[in-house]
Amino acid sequence: MKRKKLFVTILAVVMALLIIVPMLSIIFTAGKASAVTQADIDALEYQQQELQRKQQELQAKIDANKNERSSILTRKAYLDEQVELTRQ
């Protein structure tokens, strides 16, 4: 009888530990995962600056392309006029 009581007690302690240990690991892991360091913030700010610089470079290329396209369309219009004049 005494052995049975000891076995039940040990089994209850083991089962309690099996429930408590994973819960504790989740609590401690979640606390570490949510901590943001200044280095993380600095890295994200640097990344943001780089993306803004690349966006400005791309916008400059787009603007240059618009001007080039405009000059090509203007040249085409002049050539169309010249063709029309030669047909007359």
Side-chain angles (χ1 to χ4, degrees):
M1 190 69 166
K2 196 172 189 178
R3 283 187 176 175
K4 188 175 181 182
K5 186 175 181 181
L6 180 64
F7 177 74
V8 171
T9 304
I10 292 173
L11 186 61
V13 169
V14 169
M15 291 176 67
L17 287 175
L18 287 174
I19 293 172
I20 293 172
V21 171
M23 289 173 43
L24 291 175
S25 67
I26 290 171
I27 291 170
F28 289 121
T29 305
K32 290 179 183 177
S34 64
V36 177
T37 64
Q38 185 62 39
D40 294 335
I41 294 171
D42 293 341
L44 288 173
E45 286 176 346
Y46 176 76
Q47 184 180 6
Q48 181 184 19
Q49 290 171 353
E50 285 297 310
L51 289 173
Q52 286 175 345
R53 183 186 59 77
K54 288 179 182 179
Q55 184 180 13
Q56 289 171 350
E57 288 176 1
L58 184 59
Q59 188 61 46
K61 288 179 183 178
I62 289 170
D63 293 342
N65 191 15
K66 282 182 184 177
N67 293 337
E68 183 180 321
R69 181 175 174 232
S70 176
S71 67
I72 289 172
L73 291 176
T74 303
R75 184 171 177 208
K76 181 187 178 301
Y78 291 146
L79 289 173
D80 287 343
E81 279 185 50
Q82 186 179 15
V83 168
E84 193 62 37
L85 288 175
T86 56
R87 285 187 184 172
Q88 292 178 359

